[in-house]
Amino acid sequence: DADVTQTPRNRITKTGKRIMLECSQTKGHDRMYWYRQDPGLGLRLIYYSFDVKDINKGEISDGYSVSRQAQAKFSLSLESAIPNQTALYFCATSSHTEAFFGQGTRLTVV
Amino acid sequence: TQLLEQSPQFLSIQEGENLTVYCNSSSVFSSLQWYRQEPGEGPVLLVTVVTGGEVKKLKRLTFQFGDARKDSSLHITAAQPGDTGLYLCAGVSADRGSTLGRLYFGRGTQLTVWP
């Protein structure tokens, strides 16, 4: 079983729709992250959480929201999807020295 | 602006050549990591360096952390086609303030090694 599991793996949605990406981890780490990856831009941080009661905005949080339901679960929502949110999204969990990534969710907004 | 500047962005070389990828910042990091990513997959950790001046070797890969813990390099000796991939550096911020503990990534270096 994967250490970090993201669902769905692929999603096509229409402009204006609400969509949720889910992430669960079995590493037992407190820190969890959501990143967005676009060609040539590397991984950009959307939100991060250092424990269940801690939620922080990253570099590009506008248009996104998150929920930390438990230590092992961290979901990302797009309240009203727009085409420029088309990207590859990664969830990660980390210790102080190592991050573990999910396999990514490829989201297309049409 | 990118907290971690990674260079070069693209690198295309012949099998057997050596190469170096750089990761630079004006900020201090408590640790710095190098990842490799294959298309359609998440990044996978290669190494973590935590001490200023530290050098780690992983077969033909040599990683170095700068003395001031602000920069790092990845050197590959005698590159092989199997080394092809996206190499990402990432650092855990040591700045006292709102960014303490955040994990930042560089934009990556896309390496292609031709047979």
Side-chain angles (χ1 to χ4, degrees):
Chain A
D1 287 344
D3 295 323
V4 182
T5 302
Q6 288 182 235
T7 56
R9 290 292 312 277
N10 292 282
R11 180 75 180 266
I12 300 173
T13 191
K14 293 184 177 180
T15 297
K17 293 290 187 181
R18 184 179 188 274
I19 181 171
M20 179 182 289
L21 309 184
E22 299 189 3
C23 176
S24 63
Q25 54 104 351
T26 59
K27 298 297 293 184
H29 295 320
D30 288 325
R31 300 181 181 195
M32 294 190 75
Y33 308 80
W34 274 103
Y35 290 92
R36 168 178 172 161
Q37 188 172 35
D38 298 276
L41 293 177
L43 287 160
R44 293 185 291 167
L45 183 62
I46 306 173
Y47 272 94
Y48 63 106
S49 169
F50 284 175
D51 65 44
V52 175
K53 296 180 181 180
D54 176 73
I55 301 289
N56 302 282
K57 292 183 177 181
E59 306 161 70
I60 54 165
S61 59
D62 288 348
Y64 301 95
S65 62
V66 290
S67 174
R68 186 80 185 266
Q69 299 95 327
Q71 185 201 40
K73 296 184 182 296
F74 192 37
S75 60
L76 174 72
S77 293
L78 285 67
E79 298 300 328
S80 180
I82 56 177
N84 74 3
Q85 290 178 312
T86 293
L88 187 56
Y89 290 85
F90 286 103
C91 173
T93 185
S94 77
S95 64
H96 290 277
T97 57
E98 182 177 2
F100 300 86
F101 286 83
Q103 290 191 295
T105 296
R106 185 167 295 281
L107 177 66
T108 303
V109 183
V110 297
Chain B
T1 56
Q2 198 83 1
L3 192 68
L4 278 167
E5 295 293 337
Q6 196 171 333
S7 63
Q9 188 175 355
F10 297 97
L11 197 50
S12 182
I13 61 172
Q14 291 293 128
E15 183 176 3
E17 293 184 15
N18 302 330
L19 66 111
T20 303
V21 177
Y22 299 94
C23 186
N24 297 300
S25 178
S26 58
S27 298
V28 177
F29 296 97
S30 57
S31 69
L32 200 139
Q33 301 142 40
W34 286 91
Y35 294 83
R36 179 178 162 184
Q37 185 180 16
E38 300 290 342
E41 301 292 329
V44 176
L45 181 72
L46 294 174
V47 76
T48 299
V49 286
V50 296
T51 305
E54 183 176 2
V55 177
K56 281 191 174 179
K57 292 191 175 183
L58 186 66
K59 297 183 180 179
R60 294 177 292 101
L61 278 62
T62 302
F63 305 85
Q64 186 164 8
F65 201 12
D67 291 340
R69 292 186 293 136
K70 293 182 177 182
D71 54 82
S72 181
S73 63
L74 157 62
H75 183 79
I76 300 179
T77 302
Q80 299 176 0
D83 295 327
T84 294
L86 180 67
Y87 290 82
L88 295 155
C89 67
V92 178
S93 175
D95 286 340
R96 297 182 185 276
S98 61
T99 63
L100 181 66
R102 280 171 61 165
L103 181 62
Y104 290 92
F105 279 83
R107 291 187 177 186
T109 295
Q110 180 62 53
L111 172 65
T112 303
V113 183
W114 300 98

